[in-house]
Structure formats: C-alpha cells, structure tokens
Amino acid sequence: RRVVEFAFRTAPPRVAAVLGTDQVLRVKRLNLADGEPFAVVTVWCPAELGQHLSRRDVEQHPFYEVLGVALRGATQTIGADSVDGADAELLEVPAASPVLRCERITTDTHGRPVLMSEHVFPAHLTRFVVELPADDGLLEPTGLRIVDPA
C-alpha cells in the first residue's frame, strides 16, 4: 500500500450521512501487486475513531486491524464506471477507462457504520467471484438487486 492522502477533514454529504458525523479521517491509498497498481482505495473513518491512527499504521496494516473496534461485517456494492483523471494516473490507465467501483460500508458489532470506503479497480485486471451455495435448493446470490443509479 502507498498512502497518497492522510487527512482529517469535513466529510462529503454521502459519507456524513452514512457515518453519522461531519468530521472524518480520509485516507486514500494505492494498492500494489508485484509493484504494479491494482486499486485505488479511499477510506473514511469517524474522526474520533481515527484520531489514534498514523499514516504508517494505515500504510502497513488494513484498517480492520488497527481501528480498535470489534466488527460485525460489511456490505459492498459493486458497479461499472469510468475512471477520472486523478485515479487514472494512479492506476496508470487512460482517463475514462472502464473500472469496477465498489462502495463498502463496514459496521461494528452493534450495527453502527464505522468505515466507508471506495475501491476502484481497473476492469481489465479485475474479476469478482460470487459463490452460490445450494443451501435451500436455490442457486441465487443473497443481496443481488438492481439499484437506482441516482
């Protein structure tokens, strides 16, 4: 991981609504595999939870390990998009290239959102695999739904 931004700031409206706070730690990092970029990840954390974290902490460890909060899980929404200029430069792809954009909301054991993150993956390098267990005789992924693009 290479951290390209580590700052306490005012949350964008969507992040403030999800996390229930206006002040957040925003960390933007470039994830690498074999020295090559494969994802741009932006994580927002309520400022009170992130105040003890350092740039080095989030560069060397996943947020889940250093946050200091017991986690219940996360909901991730994945969609197709095109990449903007700044993220395209980090990913070393042309601007407007296709990407998979994932929004992840992580909750603590009480169900409160404690992290919100956006993951941008170059489409030509990324495949997501969904297991379809036949527990009830059905082969349908849980949570699959059409969302309003607005």
Side-chain angles (χ1 to χ4, degrees):
R1 297 178 185 92
R2 179 168 51 98
V3 172
V4 295
E5 180 183 338
F6 181 95
F8 289 90
R9 59 178 49 212
T10 301
R14 167 104 174 104
V15 173
V18 168
L19 295 179
T21 184
D22 291 331
Q23 296 302 307
V24 294
L25 169 61
R26 180 178 190 261
V27 176
K28 186 171 188 173
R29 65 180 185 238
L30 178 64
N31 288 355
L32 306 166
D34 297 326
E36 299 297 320
F38 80 90
V40 174
V41 179
T42 305
V43 180
W44 295 270
C45 168
E48 65 273 10
L49 289 179
Q51 65 187 349
H52 71 280
L53 300 177
S54 71
R55 184 181 189 110
R56 181 180 167 104
D57 288 337
V58 298
E59 197 162 54
Q60 295 185 346
H61 305 281
F63 258 89
Y64 302 127
E65 291 179 6
V66 296
L67 193 58
V69 173
L71 302 175
R72 178 171 74 185
T75 299
Q76 183 162 285
T77 304
I78 305 168
D81 203 353
S82 59
V83 68
D84 66 23
D87 287 349
E89 187 175 324
L90 287 169
L91 291 170
E92 299 176 5
V93 298
S97 292
V99 294
L100 291 177
R101 191 174 301 273
C102 306
E103 177 187 89
R104 184 182 300 167
I105 299 171
T106 303
T107 57
D108 67 12
T109 55
H110 301 287
R112 291 182 298 244
V114 293
L115 293 174
M116 182 172 173
S117 57
E118 178 186 72
H119 307 245
V120 180
F121 301 94
H124 72 286
L125 296 177
T126 309
R127 303 285 181 270
F128 283 95
V129 176
V130 178
E131 297 289 333
L132 303 174
D135 295 337
D136 297 326
L138 301 174
L139 292 177
E140 297 182 17
T142 60
L144 185 63
R145 60 192 175 271
I146 297 173
V147 295
D148 182 359

